[in-house]
PDB file of all heavy atoms in Angstrom:
ATOM      1  N   ARG J 469     121.556 103.237 117.030  1.00 68.00           N
ATOM      2  CA  ARG J 469     122.293 104.277 117.751  1.00 68.00           C
ATOM      3  C   ARG J 469     123.075 105.204 116.837  1.00 68.00           C
ATOM      4  O   ARG J 469     123.268 106.373 117.147  1.00 68.00           O
ATOM      5  CB  ARG J 469     123.255 103.627 118.746  1.00 68.00           C
ATOM      6  CG  ARG J 469     122.541 102.803 119.802  1.00 68.00           C
ATOM      7  CD  ARG J 469     123.477 102.342 120.887  1.00 68.00           C
ATOM      8  NE  ARG J 469     122.778 101.597 121.909  1.00 68.00           N
ATOM      9  CZ  ARG J 469     123.239 101.418 123.138  1.00 68.00           C
ATOM     10  NH1 ARG J 469     124.401 101.933 123.495  1.00 68.00           N
ATOM     11  NH2 ARG J 469     122.542 100.724 124.018  1.00 68.00           N
ATOM     12  N   ARG J 470     123.530 104.656 115.696  1.00 60.00           N
ATOM     13  CA  ARG J 470     124.425 105.439 114.846  1.00 60.00           C
ATOM     14  C   ARG J 470     123.762 106.028 113.608  1.00 60.00           C
ATOM     15  O   ARG J 470     124.207 107.039 113.080  1.00 60.00           O
ATOM     16  CB  ARG J 470     125.600 104.544 114.399  1.00 60.00           C
ATOM     17  CG  ARG J 470     126.435 103.980 115.542  1.00 60.00           C
ATOM     18  CD  ARG J 470     127.246 105.064 116.218  1.00 60.00           C
ATOM     19  NE  ARG J 470     128.215 105.629 115.302  1.00 60.00           N
ATOM     20  CZ  ARG J 470     129.430 105.110 115.077  1.00 60.00           C
ATOM     21  NH1 ARG J 470     129.801 104.016 115.721  1.00 60.00           N
ATOM     22  NH2 ARG J 470     130.258 105.676 114.229  1.00 60.00           N
ATOM     23  N   LYS J 471     122.701 105.401 113.115  1.00 60.00           N
ATOM     24  CA  LYS J 471     122.151 105.781 111.810  1.00 60.00           C
ATOM     25  C   LYS J 471     120.694 106.249 111.844  1.00 60.00           C
ATOM     26  O   LYS J 471     120.212 106.784 110.853  1.00 60.00           O
ATOM     27  CB  LYS J 471     122.244 104.590 110.838  1.00 60.00           C
ATOM     28  CG  LYS J 471     123.664 104.081 110.608  1.00 60.00           C
ATOM     29  CD  LYS J 471     124.490 105.062 109.791  1.00 60.00           C
ATOM     30  CE  LYS J 471     125.862 104.472 109.444  1.00 60.00           C
ATOM     31  NZ  LYS J 471     126.673 105.420 108.652  1.00 60.00           N
ATOM     32  N   VAL J 472     119.979 106.001 112.934  1.00 60.00           N
ATOM     33  CA  VAL J 472     118.553 106.338 112.983  1.00 60.00           C
ATOM     34  C   VAL J 472     118.349 107.511 113.928  1.00 60.00           C
ATOM     35  O   VAL J 472     118.420 107.363 115.153  1.00 60.00           O
ATOM     36  CB  VAL J 472     117.706 105.124 113.429  1.00 60.00           C
ATOM     37  CG1 VAL J 472     116.235 105.495 113.470  1.00 60.00           C
ATOM     38  CG2 VAL J 472     117.928 103.954 112.486  1.00 60.00           C
ATOM     39  N   HIS J 473     118.090 108.693 113.332  1.00 59.00           N
ATOM     40  CA  HIS J 473     117.933 109.914 114.125  1.00 59.00           C
ATOM     41  C   HIS J 473     116.535 110.504 114.023  1.00 59.00           C
ATOM     42  O   HIS J 473     116.136 111.292 114.874  1.00 59.00           O
ATOM     43  CB  HIS J 473     118.955 110.961 113.671  1.00 59.00           C
ATOM     44  CG  HIS J 473     120.368 110.457 113.677  1.00 59.00           C
ATOM     45  ND1 HIS J 473     121.034 110.104 114.837  1.00 59.00           N
ATOM     46  CD2 HIS J 473     121.243 110.213 112.655  1.00 59.00           C
ATOM     47  CE1 HIS J 473     122.254 109.686 114.544  1.00 59.00           C
ATOM     48  NE2 HIS J 473     122.403 109.736 113.228  1.00 59.00           N
ATOM     49  N   ASP J 474     115.799 110.147 112.977  1.00 58.00           N
ATOM     50  CA  ASP J 474     114.446 110.677 112.812  1.00 58.00           C
ATOM     51  C   ASP J 474     113.617 109.672 112.033  1.00 58.00           C
ATOM     52  O   ASP J 474     114.100 108.590 111.670  1.00 58.00           O
ATOM     53  CB  ASP J 474     114.468 112.038 112.109  1.00 58.00           C
ATOM     54  CG  ASP J 474     115.215 112.000 110.772  1.00 58.00           C
ATOM     55  OD1 ASP J 474     115.155 110.959 110.091  1.00 58.00           O
ATOM     56  OD2 ASP J 474     115.839 113.007 110.416  1.00 58.00           O
ATOM     57  N   ASP J 475     112.344 110.017 111.751  1.00 59.00           N
ATOM     58  CA  ASP J 475     111.470 109.051 111.091  1.00 59.00           C
ATOM     59  C   ASP J 475     111.852 108.821 109.635  1.00 59.00           C
ATOM     60  O   ASP J 475     111.552 107.762 109.069  1.00 59.00           O
ATOM     61  CB  ASP J 475     110.001 109.468 111.208  1.00 59.00           C
ATOM     62  CG  ASP J 475     109.720 110.818 110.580  1.00 59.00           C
ATOM     63  OD1 ASP J 475     110.620 111.660 110.559  1.00 59.00           O
ATOM     64  OD2 ASP J 475     108.586 111.025 110.120  1.00 59.00           O
ATOM     65  N   THR J 476     112.547 109.770 108.987  1.00 60.00           N
ATOM     66  CA  THR J 476     113.026 109.541 107.616  1.00 60.00           C
ATOM     67  C   THR J 476     114.087 108.449 107.596  1.00 60.00           C
ATOM     68  O   THR J 476     114.084 107.574 106.719  1.00 60.00           O
ATOM     69  CB  THR J 476     113.590 110.840 107.012  1.00 60.00           C
ATOM     70  OG1 THR J 476     112.558 111.820 106.978  1.00 60.00           O
ATOM     71  CG2 THR J 476     114.099 110.601 105.598  1.00 60.00           C
ATOM     72  N   ASP J 477     115.002 108.477 108.550  1.00 61.00           N
ATOM     73  CA  ASP J 477     115.998 107.406 108.661  1.00 61.00           C
ATOM     74  C   ASP J 477     115.305 106.076 108.942  1.00 61.00           C
ATOM     75  O   ASP J 477     115.675 105.031 108.394  1.00 61.00           O
ATOM     76  CB  ASP J 477     116.993 107.706 109.782  1.00 61.00           C
ATOM     77  CG  ASP J 477     117.899 108.882 109.466  1.00 61.00           C
ATOM     78  OD1 ASP J 477     118.115 109.153 108.281  1.00 61.00           O
ATOM     79  OD2 ASP J 477     118.370 109.534 110.412  1.00 61.00           O
ATOM     80  N   PHE J 478     114.299 106.106 109.792  1.00 62.00           N
ATOM     81  CA  PHE J 478     113.616 104.887 110.203  1.00 62.00           C
ATOM     82  C   PHE J 478     112.830 104.270 109.056  1.00 62.00           C
ATOM     83  O   PHE J 478     112.865 103.059 108.838  1.00 62.00           O
ATOM     84  CB  PHE J 478     112.664 105.211 111.364  1.00 62.00           C
ATOM     85  CG  PHE J 478     112.065 104.009 112.044  1.00 62.00           C
ATOM     86  CD1 PHE J 478     112.760 103.338 113.033  1.00 62.00           C
ATOM     87  CD2 PHE J 478     110.800 103.560 111.706  1.00 62.00           C
ATOM     88  CE1 PHE J 478     112.203 102.237 113.681  1.00 62.00           C
ATOM     89  CE2 PHE J 478     110.227 102.465 112.341  1.00 62.00           C
ATOM     90  CZ  PHE J 478     110.934 101.800 113.333  1.00 62.00           C
ATOM     91  N   ILE J 479     112.129 105.101 108.272  1.00 61.00           N
ATOM     92  CA  ILE J 479     111.211 104.596 107.247  1.00 61.00           C
ATOM     93  C   ILE J 479     111.906 104.352 105.916  1.00 61.00           C
ATOM     94  O   ILE J 479     111.665 103.343 105.250  1.00 61.00           O
ATOM     95  CB  ILE J 479     110.029 105.565 107.069  1.00 61.00           C
ATOM     96  CG1 ILE J 479     109.185 105.599 108.354  1.00 61.00           C
ATOM     97  CG2 ILE J 479     109.149 105.150 105.895  1.00 61.00           C
ATOM     98  CD1 ILE J 479     108.121 106.671 108.354  1.00 61.00           C
ATOM     99  N   VAL J 480     112.786 105.272 105.469  1.00 60.00           N
ATOM    100  CA  VAL J 480     113.408 105.146 104.141  1.00 60.00           C
ATOM    101  C   VAL J 480     114.939 105.214 104.203  1.00 60.00           C
ATOM    102  O   VAL J 480     115.592 105.592 103.228  1.00 60.00           O
ATOM    103  CB  VAL J 480     112.865 106.202 103.147  1.00 60.00           C
ATOM    104  CG1 VAL J 480     111.417 105.915 102.807  1.00 60.00           C
ATOM    105  CG2 VAL J 480     113.019 107.610 103.700  1.00 60.00           C
TER     106      VAL J 480
END
Side-chain angles (χ1 to χ4, degrees):
R469 298 189 178 201
R470 300 290 296 275
K471 301 289 186 180
V472 180
H473 306 294
D474 54 34
D475 60 330
T476 300
D477 291 334
F478 190 84
I479 294 171
V480 291

